[in-house]
Amino acid sequence: DRYGVTAYVKDMVTVLLENRPEKPLEFISDYLSNALQGNSPLMRACRYIRLTPRNRPPFMDNLTSAYMILCRSFPPVMPVAAGANKPAETLPA
């Protein structure tokens, strides 16, 4: 369609049916308001985790999705050995 509304409605209904939140109207309202704001994929994944009951299978899918987004957004930081940032002459012999 001309404004792309159909894609949002299809995605909303799909996510609604997959997650079956306890408060579907709150879920729809939250989905539409966030679609208008254009939130990041990470915020979307966090929202789905929050709105999906923990005993539903999609909860683990949403949790995995959020974790993967976090891994792509924030690469792991390797710990620096003690003294690694000091000049060589200040290191103990």
Side-chain angles (χ1 to χ4, degrees):
D1 78 36
R2 195 162 96 181
Y3 298 103
V5 175
T6 304
Y8 282 105
V9 172
K10 284 181 180 181
D11 184 54
M12 180 183 65
V13 171
T14 299
V15 172
L16 185 66
L17 291 173
E18 285 176 352
N19 292 287
R20 300 193 186 276
E22 293 174 2
K23 299 177 180 178
L25 293 179
E26 178 184 333
F27 184 89
I28 291 169
S29 172
D30 192 46
Y31 180 94
L32 293 174
S33 65
N34 284 295
L36 288 172
Q37 294 171 5
N39 284 343
S40 70
L42 178 60
M43 293 304 295
R44 180 180 176 188
C46 289
R47 207 170 49 253
Y48 292 164
I49 290 170
R50 184 174 49 84
L51 293 173
T52 304
R54 304 313 182 253
N55 61 347
R56 299 267 313 137
F59 176 76
M60 287 306 294
D61 294 338
N62 294 338
L63 191 61
T64 302
S65 173
Y67 179 77
M68 297 305 293
I69 292 168
L70 276 172
C71 288
R72 284 192 303 269
S73 300
F74 304 101
V77 177
M78 298 302 293
V80 178
N85 293 332
K86 295 181 183 178
E89 62 271 3
T90 63
L91 293 176

